[in-house]
Amino acid sequence: MRSFTSVHDVASIGIPTILEQATQFVENPWSFEHLGKRKTLGLLFMNPSLRTRMSTQKAATLLGMDTMVLNAGADSWTLETRDGVVMDGTATEHIKDAAAVMGKYCDVLGIRTFAGLTDYEADYAEVVLQSFIDHSGVPVISLESATRHPLQSLADLITIHQHSFIRRPKVVLTWAPHPRALPQAVANSFAEWMLHADVDLTIVNPEGYDLDPRFTAGAVCTHDQDEALTDADVVYAKNWSATTPYGAILTTDPSWCVTKQKLALTNNARFMHCLPVRRNVIVADEVLDSPQSIVIQQAANRVVSAQVVLYNILRSMQ
Ligand code: AN0
Ligand code: CP
């Protein structure tokens, strides 16, 4: 594997092998502690992060790598991302110069860059992530880009796999309300990974929030939450902003919040969310604090997913 930006980057390795590697790292986290010796991972955050920041550094440590972390605009310069513009505004450095320089200091780079949510074409063209791929000269890992969050989705898949359901599980991705406009990346990416896994996926959201069929083709897509939740084995809640018009908040209807009453419709489903989560907006305390919630296991598996990805990138550099 060279770069890791979507499920397509693990196609040649195969999901069963990726899941076997994950199991091995859970059992013996230090088994390749020398693989990344004298290699440096650089992480650039253009947006906030708790889990991605800490889990990716932890994964690098387990593989013997050094890590350097930069927060764009806070402890490094503000970056211009548009090509060919006169840089007489607030941005100090062009992303392609920053990428080329960071590629000289680091063997692998990770970048977090959220969708702007105003220009669909620009977000879905992945301009920022692609600049790093094009100009850094080193493998690039998405730490959540405008349209996908593959390290999260891989951790989600590992978590579902660890529950070893006796039947092919019914996994439901449900939209839930949120006071601010959020990216579609987590939902797109979760859908894309689940459609490559051994699960049945249903996606439910209000009208105007249908995700791009490039990510969801093959899933059952509906607007009726109760019907979708019926008999679910896994309920994955996430807010995302509207697709038409792009980036809008069309509703904050509290009846979409995942409550104990909603979970009663399911097959005693596990509850998942990528975190951070707004309690009693997306999901009720009574669900998040119940044994049905596996959100902390999911967050713990972020170390495992990052370790699997770094392992495969380091192996291909040997
Ligand atoms: C971000 C999002 O929805 O994409 C990051 C989630 C991992 N969430 C927020 O901004 C609250
Ligand atoms: N789930 C996730 O990516 O969390 P952070 O935004 O805190 O990294």
Side-chain angles (χ1 to χ4, degrees):
M1 190 193 307
R2 179 160 169 89
S3 286
F4 179 75
T5 65
S6 79
V7 70
H8 305 297
D9 295 311
V10 303
S12 62
I13 299 167
I15 284 186
T17 303
I18 290 283
L19 288 172
E20 276 166 33
Q21 292 171 348
T23 305
Q24 278 170 18
F25 282 126
V26 169
E27 282 165 8
N28 192 353
W30 293 99
S31 51
F32 284 88
E33 64 179 305
H34 301 300
L35 185 67
K37 197 173 171 206
R38 300 190 184 156
K39 294 269 193 295
T40 301
L41 173 68
L43 302 177
L44 176 68
F45 287 90
M46 299 178 74
N47 309 95
S49 166
L50 185 158
R51 279 142 290 272
T52 306
R53 176 185 301 266
M54 296 186 78
S55 62
T56 311
Q57 288 185 73
K58 173 76 188 214
T61 301
L62 291 171
L63 292 167
M65 298 181 86
D66 291 324
T67 314
M68 298 195 287
V69 185
L70 275 185
N71 303 302
D75 51 21
S76 70
W77 303 107
T78 46
L79 296 177
E80 177 58 65
T81 56
R82 295 162 303 166
D83 231 354
V85 292
V86 178
M87 285 177 54
D88 59 358
T90 49
T92 315
E93 178 160 28
H94 201 280
I95 191 158
K96 56 187 178 186
D97 300 319
V101 171
M102 289 180 74
K104 296 295 175 204
Y105 304 150
C106 303
D107 302 282
V108 181
L109 288 173
I111 173 156
R112 165 161 284 202
T113 171
F114 285 175
L117 296 180
T118 51
D119 181 342
Y120 178 88
E121 298 300 330
D123 284 346
Y124 276 69
E126 291 285 9
V127 175
V128 177
L129 183 66
Q130 199 56 47
S131 290
F132 262 79
I133 292 169
D134 292 343
H135 299 289
S136 67
V138 297
V140 173
I141 299 174
S142 164
L143 306 175
E144 184 174 337
S145 72
T147 65
R148 291 179 173 99
H149 194 358
L151 283 174
Q152 180 65 53
S153 314
L154 175 53
D156 299 337
L157 176 61
I158 292 167
T159 307
I160 291 170
H161 181 68
Q162 285 168 345
H163 279 263
S164 24
F165 292 96
I166 43 179
R167 62 169 192 183
R168 186 176 157 98
K170 176 179 177 182
V171 175
V172 178
L173 168 62
T174 179
W175 181 92
H178 195 278
R180 291 183 50 213
L182 295 187
Q184 293 151 3
V186 170
N188 284 339
S189 192
F190 181 73
E192 193 173 53
W193 280 77
M194 287 302 117
L195 289 164
H196 282 82
D198 202 14
V199 310
D200 289 325
L201 179 66
T202 298
I203 303 171
V204 60
N205 51 263
E207 284 183 30
Y209 286 85
D210 292 353
L211 296 167
D212 191 317
R214 276 182 290 177
F215 299 94
T216 62
V220 174
C221 297
T222 154
H223 298 140
D224 182 335
Q225 195 191 38
D226 285 0
E227 184 191 288
L229 292 176
T230 301
D231 219 17
D233 297 298
V234 174
V235 174
Y236 194 106
K238 182 70 184 84
N239 172 267
W240 61 90
S241 53
T243 37
T244 38
Y246 182 56
I249 297 179
L250 302 177
T251 176
T252 52
D253 180 356
S255 74
W256 283 78
C257 176
V258 180
T259 58
K260 209 172 157 183
Q261 207 182 350
K262 294 268 180 190
L263 273 200
L265 297 166
T266 70
N267 181 29
N268 195 27
R270 308 294 106 196
F271 174 81
M272 299 180 73
H273 188 280
C274 63
L275 305 183
V277 72
R278 298 224 182 196
R279 283 174 171 258
N280 304 309
V281 179
I282 298 255
V283 54
D285 280 342
E286 64 194 11
V287 171
L288 204 56
D289 296 329
S290 79
Q292 277 174 271
S293 169
I294 55 172
V295 300
I296 304 302
Q297 180 186 354
Q298 233 182 305
N301 279 327
R302 290 296 306 274
V303 177
V304 184
S305 70
Q307 196 175 4
V308 166
V309 168
L310 285 170
Y311 167 80
N312 285 296
I313 290 175
L314 289 168
R315 284 275 304 266
S316 68
M317 292 167 80
Q318 282 180 323

